[in-house]
Amino acid sequence: MNDIIQILIYGLVLGSVLSMGAIGVSMIFGILRFAHFAHGDFMTLGAYIGLTFIGVFGLSPWFALPAAMVGMAVVGVGIDQVLYRRIRRTQPVILLIASFGMALILRSLIQLIWGSENQTYASGIQFPWRLDVLGGLRIKPDHVWIVLISLGLVAAVHLFLTRTRMGKAMRAMSDNMDLALVSGIPAERVIMVTWLIGGALAAAAGVFLGIDTRLHPVMGWTTLLPVFAAAILGGIGRPYGAIVGGMIIGISMEMSTLFISAAYKPAVAFAIMVVMLIVRPQGIFKGTL
């Protein structure tokens, strides 16, 4: 029983990381109607921006997190203005191919600037807390912070979407683009805010992943499949669905290690995504697929 609870904790940590990435993917699809294949590399670049702040200013990863989120939000808007804005009115497949090319460009830049070897935010081993009252469960302090900060960011996104005019405009554009534009919603401003939020949350996911494991140039690319699986499971275009989907995929991937090798965890996310596309393509929260 303790093993199951221990793995459940790991699943919540992985689910927190996936949810941060899936919210951005879901919001971009909901507003711009294309699958952003460069989102995994957004996560990687955000993690390396955090590494730069840690190296230059000697910050801890937790204090570098806000800086990485701001930096990646600005980069996200910049990429949209330079590339995606110019081809926004073309067919979605053109945008999809452009995002794939952007992913390759970002990965090459990361390797050129920071190198291709593995890096870490902090050296040494972090000793976990041992909870004897719960049968000797071991919880790393970093895992607690990842889950708590993720909950805080989810709450902030919820308040933004439900309590601000811009958030309501984003929801309106996601539900019915034509009706929203006719009603006078500033589309370009909504798109800019979408990239700001998507970039910031991608950086958070990347920094969390870097804290939990290590940094390497393909860390985001290898996480992209579970991120898309989470967005599709929850209902692509639905930020709340992305949160639920991220948690389900994260817990399922970790729980699968009880039965199969950990090397096959991404296959579990792929299987869930395929089954969902066959059985209920609109996802749990009835997305826009």
Side-chain angles (χ1 to χ4, degrees):
M1 186 63 184
N2 281 350
D3 290 342
I4 295 176
I5 298 175
Q6 188 74 61
I7 293 174
L8 179 63
I9 293 171
Y10 295 148
L12 289 174
V13 175
L14 179 58
S16 300
V17 174
L18 298 180
S19 295
M20 293 297 101
I23 292 173
V25 165
S26 201
M27 291 177 76
I28 291 169
F29 188 92
I31 301 295
L32 297 170
R33 297 291 193 272
F34 81 101
H36 188 226
F37 269 82
H39 213 73
D41 295 278
F42 270 36
M43 292 168 56
T44 307
L45 183 57
Y48 276 92
I49 291 174
L51 180 68
T52 300
F53 278 96
I54 292 169
V56 173
F57 299 104
L59 301 175
S60 77
W62 302 114
F63 286 105
L65 173 63
M69 292 177 67
V70 172
M72 199 57 228
V74 173
V75 171
V77 173
I79 290 174
D80 174 61
Q81 294 297 307
V82 171
L83 175 62
Y84 297 134
R85 184 180 183 182
R86 302 173 188 274
I87 55 176
R88 193 169 291 154
R89 298 189 184 279
T90 60
Q91 295 181 355
V93 67
I94 303 297
L95 283 162
L96 187 146
I97 294 171
S99 72
F100 189 77
M102 179 53 63
L104 296 176
I105 292 171
L106 290 178
R107 209 173 309 152
S108 299
L109 283 175
I110 290 167
Q111 289 180 329
L112 188 66
I113 296 172
W114 288 282
S116 58
E117 68 277 6
N118 293 334
Q119 300 191 59
T120 57
Y121 285 139
S123 58
I125 300 173
Q126 185 181 53
F127 292 99
W129 295 325
R130 182 182 174 86
L131 305 179
D132 292 327
V133 293
L134 296 175
L137 286 178
R138 297 172 183 272
I139 300 178
K140 290 173 66 176
D142 284 348
H143 287 173
V144 175
W145 283 113
I146 287 173
V147 174
L148 290 178
I149 294 174
S150 297
L151 289 174
L153 292 174
V154 167
V157 171
H158 168 71
L159 291 175
F160 177 80
L161 291 176
T162 56
R163 304 294 173 83
T164 66
R165 294 185 63 181
M166 180 56 68
K168 293 175 181 176
M170 292 174 68
R171 290 166 59 197
M173 280 188 67
S174 179
D175 289 336
N176 191 322
M177 174 74 76
D178 295 332
L179 182 61
L181 293 177
V182 169
S183 62
I185 287 177
E188 283 300 325
R189 201 180 306 166
V190 169
I191 291 171
M192 184 179 294
V193 173
T194 302
W195 284 108
L196 282 171
I197 296 174
L201 293 181
V207 172
F208 290 159
L209 204 56
I211 290 172
D212 190 35
T213 56
R214 64 190 188 284
L215 287 82
H216 55 90
V218 295
M219 59 186 285
W221 176 251
T222 55
T223 314
L224 189 61
L225 174 60
V227 166
F228 267 94
I232 290 171
L233 177 63
I236 196 159
R238 305 295 182 192
Y240 301 118
I243 298 165
V244 174
M247 284 298 170
I248 294 175
I249 294 292
I251 292 172
S252 300
M253 288 174 67
E254 292 297 337
M255 283 294 181
S256 70
T257 59
L258 291 171
F259 312 103
I260 59 176
S261 169
Y264 295 109
K265 284 196 296 184
V268 174
F270 180 72
I272 293 174
M273 182 177 68
V274 171
V275 170
M276 202 65 189
L277 285 172
I278 294 173
V279 176
R280 188 181 168 89
Q282 70 271 34
I284 297 173
F285 284 74
K286 295 185 178 178
T288 51
L289 273 182

